């Protein structure tokens, strides 16, 4: 006989570990497995030093499950979102201030490594959660009453609900024959951190020219100097070139691409690139199985929507499980999860995709259209407030 759990989570990235903490805090018996061997030092290859901005609803959820006190000191608040149009001869700046709609910042930026450390610390304190890194889900079989999961360790585990947090190419989704529609934008995102001359003053700055946005997101000071995380989206050929040029030339290139809005930039981490796609699964569930995070949806890294959307998945699934613990994983519950989350994800996939197409468009006509659209959004106060609220996911 195999072991029994309430929930098995396949995937130990930030979304999978967050789900393990959330369901563990709620008292469920949880097993979380991840095929990747743990990286134990942030200086080692494979350490994820990218950052994520946790918007207000996500931060409130992390607070609710007890995790935020471990993270707050490592985060930098995002009070103002600044958009800079650098396509013309003169820089045009438009600020969107959280104070217009809220008494708290838009969000808080956090290095993924620090988030993972906080998650693992909290998991260690939950006796009902077992995290097994270096172990993968090799296969699963489901029936109306349970899921049977085979692990690479040779163990078979039974559960009421299997949560697939196994990424955009989810093997569990493929095995369940659930299709996903994918759009490739022909871009890469280059991620790294920088020091800079000018303090960021808790302003997240998005610089637009062509090819995609260049975004500087505040971080706590690094070695006594102002620091920000950067996500630079552009054509594949342009990003590949930037990955390989020497550091001095790279610093000059990123300073120029940023329009020097924070002065001279100096890269302080490795440069990591990944493809820009959008993707939406036809269904967010199969028999005894829920798909969350990138197994369900992928959006380009604009407006900090990706992981925030994933945490929304976890919260919705958790609320349904807590409301009826005896029915977790049943078809009715999973169908309610699908109906609650897929329309939201679809609107984000379509909306962020449209923003990305507008951002990367080249030529004077496109630049003029961007400038007019930005001016209208900023100038018309009710529209500006509505856009900010939609971006936060609070309307």
């Amino acid at each position: 006989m195999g072991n029994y759990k309430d929930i098995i989570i396949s995937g130990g990235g930030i979304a999978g570990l967050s789900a393990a903490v959330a369901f563990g805090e709620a008292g469920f018996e949880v097993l979380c497995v991840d095929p990747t061997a743990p990286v134990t030092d942030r200086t080692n290859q494979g350490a994820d030093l990218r950052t994520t901005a946790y918007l207000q609803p996500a931060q409130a959820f992390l607070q609710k499950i007890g995790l935020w006190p471990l993270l707050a000191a490592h985060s930098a608040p995002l009070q103002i979102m600044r958009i800079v149009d650098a396509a013309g001869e003169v820089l045009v700046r438009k600020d969107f201030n959280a104070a217009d709609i809220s008494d708290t910042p838009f969000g808080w930026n956090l290095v993924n490594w620090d988030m993972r450390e906080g998650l693992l610390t909290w998991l260690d304190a939950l006796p009902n959660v077992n995290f097994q890194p270096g172990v993968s889900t090799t296969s699963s079989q489901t029936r109306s009453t349970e899921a049977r999961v085979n692990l690479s360790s040779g163990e078979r585990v039974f559960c009421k609900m299997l949560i697939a947090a196994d990424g955009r190419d989810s093997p569990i989704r493929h095995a369940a024959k659930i299709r996903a529609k994918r759009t490739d934008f022909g871009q890469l995102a280059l991620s790294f951190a920088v020091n800079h001359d000018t303090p960021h003053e808790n302003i997240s700055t998005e610089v637009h020219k062509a090819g995609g946005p260049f975004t500087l997101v505040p971080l706590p000071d690094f070695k006594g100097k102002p620091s920000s995380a950067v996500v630079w989206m552009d054509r594949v050929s342009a990003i590949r070139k930037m990955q390989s040029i020497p550091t001095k030339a790279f610093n000059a290139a990123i300073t120029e691409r940023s329009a020097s809005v924070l002065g001279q930039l100096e890269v302080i981490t490795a440069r990591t690139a990944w493809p820009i796609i959008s993707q939406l699964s036809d269904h967010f569930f199969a028999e005894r199985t829920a798909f969350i995070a990138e197994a369900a949806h992928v959006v380009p890294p604009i407006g900090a929507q990706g992981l925030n959307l994933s945490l929304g998945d976890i919260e919705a699934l958790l609320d349904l499980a807590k409301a009826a613990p005896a029915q977790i994983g049943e078809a009715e519950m999973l169908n309610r999860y699908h109906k609650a989350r897929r329309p939201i994800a679809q609107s984000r996939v379509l909306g962020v995709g449209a923003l990305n197409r507008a951002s990367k468009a080249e030529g004077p006509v496109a630049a003029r259209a961007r400038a007019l659209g930005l001016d209208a959004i900023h100038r018309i106060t009710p529209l500006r407030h509505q856009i900010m609220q939609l971006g936060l996911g609070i309307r």
Side-chain angles (χ1 to χ4, degrees), residues 113-128:
W113 175 268
D114 292 325
M115 177 62 169
R116 184 177 177 83
E117 288 289 285
L119 286 163
L120 293 175
T121 298
W122 204 237
L123 283 178
D124 282 344
L126 295 172
N128 53 321

Side-chain angles (χ1 to χ4, degrees), residues 11-13 33-39 45-47 116 131-137 152:
V33 298
D34 186 78
T36 306
V39 178
Q45 186 174 2
R116 184 177 177 83
F131 175 49
Q132 296 186 21
V135 175
S136 62
T137 301
S152 61

Side-chain angles (χ1 to χ4, degrees), residues 308-394:
N308 286 272
L309 192 59
S310 302
L311 292 178
D313 297 341
I314 297 166
E315 185 170 23
L317 199 58
L318 177 65
D319 287 345
L320 289 167
K322 290 168 67 175
Q327 285 144 23
I328 62 169
E330 293 186 0
E332 182 181 352
M333 173 200 166
L334 294 175
N335 189 46
R336 290 175 65 189
Y337 164 68
H338 166 83
K339 288 182 176 179
R341 293 304 298 169
R342 192 178 186 279
I344 294 171
Q346 183 177 36
S347 70
R348 293 293 191 272
V349 167
L350 294 174
V352 175
L355 285 173
N356 186 40
R357 289 184 181 92
S359 176
K360 73 173 189 170
E362 301 186 21
V365 174
R368 179 62 176 163
R370 278 197 300 269
L372 290 173
L374 177 60
D375 181 69
I377 291 171
H378 190 266
R379 179 169 39 83
I380 303 171
T381 301
L383 179 60
R384 183 174 76 249
H385 291 178
Q386 183 179 35
I387 293 293
M388 287 191 288
Q389 289 168 331
L390 285 171
L392 288 176
I394 60 176

Side-chain angles (χ1 to χ4, degrees), residues 151-278:
L151 304 177
S152 61
S153 62
E155 188 178 13
R156 171 180 279 191
V157 189
F158 298 79
C159 65
K160 296 176 183 177
M161 181 167 65
L162 171 61
I163 297 178
D166 52 349
R168 59 183 64 182
D169 297 315
S170 168
I172 293 175
R173 191 188 66 233
H174 286 299
K177 295 181 168 43
I178 303 296
R179 296 180 301 176
K181 182 180 180 181
R182 178 179 293 202
T183 300
D184 190 330
F185 291 95
Q187 298 166 287
L188 292 175
L190 189 64
S191 176
F192 51 93
V194 295
N195 279 342
H196 41 81
D197 296 333
T198 305
H200 49 60
E201 298 179 334
N202 296 326
I203 299 173
S204 179
T205 304
E206 205 169 272
V207 183
H208 291 261
K209 283 187 179 179
F214 184 100
T215 306
L216 296 131
V217 189
L219 287 173
D221 287 358
F222 179 75
K223 294 185 176 180
K225 296 186 67 174
S227 182
S228 293
V230 176
V231 177
W232 181 4
M233 294 169 56
D234 209 329
R235 298 179 307 278
V236 172
S237 58
I239 294 299
R240 289 294 186 214
K241 179 182 177 181
M242 288 298 107
Q243 274 188 288
S244 59
I245 66 173
T247 299
K248 184 176 180 180
F250 183 71
N251 288 341
I254 59 178
T255 299
E256 189 278 330
R257 180 58 184 82
S258 71
S260 300
V261 293
L262 293 178
Q264 180 73 33
L265 304 185
E266 178 186 356
V267 66
I268 56 175
T269 63
R271 311 166 210 175
T272 304
W274 73 97
I276 300 302
I277 67 165
S278 65

Side-chain angles (χ1 to χ4, degrees), residues 84-162:
V84 177
D85 184 350
E89 294 182 1
V90 178
L91 296 184
V92 178
R93 293 178 172 87
K94 302 293 184 182
D95 285 357
F96 298 81
N97 196 324
D100 288 350
I101 60 170
S102 173
D103 57 1
T104 60
F106 284 117
W108 293 260
N109 200 39
L110 187 68
V111 177
N112 289 352
W113 175 268
D114 292 325
M115 177 62 169
R116 184 177 177 83
E117 288 289 285
L119 286 163
L120 293 175
T121 298
W122 204 237
L123 283 178
D124 282 344
L126 295 172
N128 53 321
V129 180
N130 180 10
F131 175 49
Q132 296 186 21
V135 175
S136 62
T137 301
T138 56
S139 64
S140 61
Q141 300 85 38
T142 61
R143 56 186 185 181
S144 60
T145 57
E146 66 184 11
R148 305 176 183 181
V149 180
N150 297 309
L151 304 177
S152 61
S153 62
E155 188 178 13
R156 171 180 279 191
V157 189
F158 298 79
C159 65
K160 296 176 183 177
M161 181 167 65
L162 171 61

